[in-house]
Amino acid sequence: MDAKQRKKAKKQDPEPEEVDEESSAEEVEGESSAEEFDDSEIEAVFEGYTPKEGDFHGIKSLLNQLLTGTDVGLSDFADTIISETEVSSVLKVDDTDDEVFGVISALGLKKHGKVPAIKSLLELILAKCDEFDGSSTKSRLSSALSPSSDKNVALLINERMINLPQQLAMSLNGALREDLSESAKEDKAYKFDQFVVICKSVESRSRADGSSGQKKKKKVGGASAAAAASDSEQLFIDIEDDLFQKHSSCSFSFPVPGGLWVSRKGGLRERPSRTVMLLTSAQLQKAWTELDGMLT
């Protein structure tokens, strides 16, 4: 897709409103008070656009939502996404408005891997994998993230505001799918073999000894971490992330730094976490195809 072309995401057309003529006079009398307490939904047209400098703060805010509690340089990260116009989109109501509702981008590591913010995130991923998962997953991720890897790997950033309609998932992912296809025809640098995804998730546990949220001083890794995680379940905020994990080669999760356990019904406790996944290009395409089928 042309980097300068506007990418349409979703349109919601308001339905015609029925008017009761007999009660119209009474409604006019109470018009001002009704406006004050009107809680009706506002219809909006969400569209995808190529990111630009004016979107910096909106993109940075979404990155902060995704990477909260880390030391990753968000300004550096946002600038990198804005620079990657070929395979990046922002979700907005109007291109003249600076409010960004979502962002998606595939950042090739051969091109952007040395950017301090990207390098910092990749180091964080490997450190967390070593702490919270076994050697098999770390071995695969280390191979994919290595500067000397013979694979063309991209970091897939896919973040949007919470509580937006799930239908927007395919709009953003569909835009990236098309952008990758078109860009790869002109430049092989965009023909990626693998994708590393990091997304929001929630760890849910029922076991008493895992619900206190108290962190042990000794390091937990490998088989010990796997055993501790056996009584927990990762719940995903965005519908596509569930499919990404389903089709991934490997994945692991880690708690958000400073995230607290919250009690839920049924004796469950939850705390915010992040999940990292590794997908081949074919696996990502399968996830997108399944997502498309779910939302159409």
Side-chain angles (χ1 to χ4, degrees):
M1 181 178 292
D2 191 332
K4 300 298 182 182
Q5 181 179 349
R6 186 176 67 177
K7 307 161 188 173
K8 188 169 183 180
K10 177 180 174 62
K11 182 174 182 178
Q12 297 175 322
D13 294 321
E15 298 179 358
E17 185 176 343
E18 295 183 2
V19 179
D20 185 346
E21 295 182 357
E22 294 183 1
S23 61
S24 61
E26 296 178 4
E27 290 177 356
V28 170
E29 289 183 11
E31 182 177 355
S32 58
S33 60
E35 287 179 349
E36 291 179 19
F37 301 97
D38 184 12
D39 60 353
S40 60
E41 295 183 0
I42 298 176
E43 301 291 344
V45 177
F46 292 98
E47 296 184 347
Y49 298 88
T50 299
K52 58 185 183 181
E53 290 298 328
D55 301 322
F56 172 82
H57 292 291
I59 294 174
K60 183 179 177 181
S61 178
L62 289 170
L63 289 173
N64 183 57
Q65 178 176 285
L66 176 64
L67 303 175
T68 182
T70 72
D71 294 326
V72 174
L74 301 181
S75 295
D76 201 17
F77 213 129
D79 282 334
T80 304
I81 291 177
I82 292 171
S83 73
E84 191 54 86
T85 57
E86 297 296 331
V87 287
S88 298
S89 294
V90 289
L91 189 66
K92 302 166 68 175
V93 173
D94 191 318
D95 195 30
T96 61
D97 189 357
D98 292 337
E99 186 168 15
V100 177
F101 292 88
V103 62
I104 193 166
S105 181
L107 302 174
L109 298 186
K110 292 187 181 301
K111 179 179 180 180
H112 301 292
K114 293 183 179 180
V115 174
I118 308 300
K119 184 178 179 181
S120 176
L121 177 58
L122 300 183
E123 291 174 349
L124 174 69
I125 287 174
L126 291 178
K128 293 297 183 182
C129 186
D130 186 46
E131 183 178 0
F132 292 97
D133 204 281
S135 59
S136 176
T137 300
K138 186 180 180 183
S139 176
R140 290 188 179 189
L141 283 173
S142 296
S143 176
L145 300 181
S146 172
S148 60
S149 173
D150 60 350
K151 302 292 185 182
N152 192 13
V153 183
L155 175 65
L156 199 163
I157 297 297
N158 175 38
E159 184 66 11
R160 57 184 181 273
M161 289 185 180
I162 298 173
N163 296 329
L164 285 178
Q166 291 287 17
Q167 284 74 11
L168 292 175
M170 196 58 234
S171 299
L172 273 177
N173 282 271
L176 180 61
R177 188 181 195 178
E178 183 178 349
D179 286 349
L180 287 170
S181 177
E182 293 299 317
S183 297
K185 294 176 183 178
E186 300 179 4
D187 188 345
K188 291 184 179 180
Y190 293 106
K191 188 174 178 59
F192 298 115
D193 302 306
Q194 295 177 313
F195 294 83
V196 175
V197 180
I198 181 169
C199 67
K200 300 189 303 295
S201 55
V202 175
E203 181 182 2
S204 177
R205 283 193 185 184
S206 58
R207 195 173 65 179
D209 62 358
S211 64
S212 65
Q214 297 297 319
K215 183 180 287 186
K216 295 181 179 180
K217 291 184 179 180
K218 68 177 184 179
K219 177 181 175 183
V220 179
S224 298
S230 62
D231 294 309
S232 68
E233 178 184 9
Q234 291 296 328
L235 308 176
F236 294 99
I237 310 299
D238 295 326
I239 187 173
E240 65 269 36
D241 294 332
D242 204 2
L243 298 177
F244 290 164
Q245 187 188 46
K246 173 183 175 181
H247 292 283
S248 66
S249 300
C250 62
S251 67
F252 79 95
S253 301
F254 62 92
V256 170
L260 301 177
W261 289 97
V262 178
S263 297
R264 301 297 185 192
K265 292 181 179 180
L268 295 175
R269 290 204 171 202
E270 297 178 347
R271 66 175 173 179
S273 59
R274 295 295 178 264
T275 296
V276 177
M277 315 170 208
L278 178 65
L279 296 92
T280 65
S281 178
Q283 289 170 334
L284 182 60
Q285 292 295 333
K286 287 181 180 179
W288 278 338
T289 299
E290 188 170 343
L291 177 65
D292 193 23
M294 292 174 62
L295 298 179
T296 56

